[in-house]
Amino acid sequence: MTAADSAYGPIPLSTPISAGIVAALVGFTSSFAVVLTGLRAVGASPAEAASGLSALCVTQALGMMWLARRYRQPITLAWSTPGAALLAGTGVVAGGWPAAVGAFVTVGVLIVLTGLWPRLGALVSRIPVPLAQAMLAGVLLPLCSAPVAAFADSPALIAPVAVVWLVVLRFSTRWAVPAAFVAAAAVIAADLIGSGTSIATSDLVPGIDWTVPHWSWQATIGIAVPLYIVTMASQNIPGTTVMASFGFRIPWRASMTVTGTGTVLGAFAGGHTINLAAISAALSANPGAHPDPKRRWIAAFSAGCSYLVLALLATALATLVAAAPAGVVETVAGLALLGTLAASLFGALEHASDREATVLTFLVAASGLTFAGIGSAFWALVVGLVVRAILRRQSPIATAPEETG
């Protein structure tokens, strides 16, 4: 079929296909640097990080292609960008990279259980949203402030990236970060040429590095639990809301089973988490993809096909990132997360009743502390929940107004 139903006029099939390609390109280029940064932070080598990026592309591609075709809905999947940012702030845990991979497997199992066991989903939903958002905002703060420190150290390298981002942002929010990466790639290429550094062709060939997972309690508590909470609160639940705004009801159990299983399988190759897309879901689900809602699933299917192609570029991009001067990639990642930071801060401070607890949660998460081998994200949630419980049990005490005279 080359056109939509006659009620919608002669809309060519290329319309939803192009919408899906754009969704994939925007989703990939706007956050892959964050993924590589997060995987490297928890102990992955450059080759293992590239393998993880490829695995994420493949698993989410296959998942969204199956879901879109099976349910005839534009169900778009993505990797967890907030989750990758959390990894970047967590650092290496006891057991190193294999322990991080074990934590990724645990997250996948928990996501599957969320779909199969409603009580687990209900338990997650009881975690106050402001605290989850405050934890995420605290984790994001050091990453988003990285461009400032990088500019102070190397203004000649960072300024072109920041200027391109700002100029493009003035006209298109969607393409600002991809444009910043193009500018960063030009800066990296100029630096390589100027220093006479060459990149071996073998370093550009796609490959998969398998890792045998190892489970440690520090990685389970410090990585798996916060990563699961962030993925559910910042991706899966908002993803269903975005889809509902366009009239689509997500098949919850099937979506959690597919994304959880994909997370488990991808973890062995280094991928951290796949989930329902939140922001990029709108690119495939809105009327711009196709006026007929029944035809928009083609956009999600097309996005899946595009991610299979992008998976072939993961190793080359990871090699380019590894060769970048200090601060350049961190600048792109920080700029990519500014919108997420703003949304997290708004969600954290929206309700005045929990403001003290959310501020403390934010500060603990931003501190980057490690206690008993567990990172700040987990302790931020603990502190926030304890403070919230204490303050909510206090009885309000009426005080007489001060006399003035």
Side-chain angles (χ1 to χ4, degrees), residues 18 45 65 142 278 298:
S18 61
S45 67
M65 290 167 68
I298 299 173

Side-chain angles (χ1 to χ4, degrees), residues 144-214:
C144 290
S145 61
V148 179
F151 181 82
D153 293 335
S154 306
L157 296 176
I158 305 305
V161 179
V163 169
V164 168
W165 171 79
L166 185 60
V167 170
V168 177
L169 183 66
R170 172 65 178 81
F171 301 98
S172 174
T173 303
R174 179 186 304 174
W175 293 105
V177 174
F181 171 71
V182 172
V187 169
I188 296 170
D191 181 75
L192 291 174
I193 294 172
S195 63
T197 304
S198 60
I199 296 177
T201 305
S202 59
D203 293 337
L204 306 178
V205 178
I208 294 294
D209 275 36
W210 301 102
T211 300
V212 177
H214 169 73

Side-chain angles (χ1 to χ4, degrees), residues 6 29 46 77 80 117 175 270 334 368 382:
S6 59
T29 57
L77 305 185
S80 177
W117 188 30
W175 293 105
V382 171

Side-chain angles (χ1 to χ4, degrees), residues 14-154:
S14 60
T15 299
I17 291 177
S18 61
I21 294 173
V22 168
L25 288 174
V26 171
F28 184 92
T29 57
S30 63
S31 59
F32 83 90
V34 182
V35 172
L36 293 174
T37 300
L39 296 178
R40 291 294 304 275
V42 291
S45 67
E48 289 166 339
S51 173
L53 183 61
S54 297
L56 291 170
C57 289
V58 172
T59 51
Q60 71 187 30
L62 296 178
M64 77 175 84
M65 290 167 68
W66 187 85
L67 288 169
R69 186 171 180 82
R70 169 67 177 80
Y71 294 98
R72 290 298 195 270
Q73 293 188 35
I75 303 173
T76 308
L77 305 185
W79 53 58
S80 177
T81 301
L86 185 145
L87 297 179
T90 300
V92 180
V93 296
W97 174 240
V101 171
F104 302 160
V105 173
T106 301
V107 173
V109 172
L110 288 174
I111 292 174
V112 172
L113 288 177
T114 303
L116 300 178
W117 188 30
R119 287 188 177 182
L120 180 57
L123 180 63
V124 174
S125 66
R126 291 182 63 182
I127 297 175
V129 173
L131 295 188
Q133 294 291 346
M135 178 193 71
L136 178 58
V139 169
L140 292 175
L141 181 62
L143 299 174
C144 290
S145 61
V148 179
F151 181 82
D153 293 335
S154 306

Side-chain angles (χ1 to χ4, degrees), residues 255-279:
S255 298
M256 294 302 98
T257 301
V258 168
T259 55
T261 302
T263 296
V264 171
L265 296 176
F268 290 89
H272 66 297
T273 316
I274 63 169
N275 42 245
L276 293 172
I279 298 175

Side-chain angles (χ1 to χ4, degrees), residues 301-372:
F301 191 89
S302 172
C305 295
S306 301
Y307 267 108
L308 290 178
V309 176
L310 290 170
L312 300 176
L313 303 176
T315 301
L317 290 172
T319 300
L320 183 68
V321 166
V328 174
V329 175
E330 290 80 359
T331 296
V332 177
L335 295 175
L337 292 169
L338 283 178
T340 306
L341 174 62
S344 299
L345 287 172
F346 178 80
L349 300 175
E350 185 177 10
H351 303 286
S353 59
D354 292 327
R355 195 153 291 170
E356 291 82 3
T358 55
V359 169
L360 285 172
T361 301
F362 169 77
L363 291 174
V364 173
S367 70
L369 70 87
T370 298
F371 179 71

Side-chain angles (χ1 to χ4, degrees), residues 246-258:
F246 292 104
F248 297 101
R249 184 178 179 182
I250 288 286
W252 179 253
R253 177 171 294 184
S255 298
M256 294 302 98
T257 301
V258 168

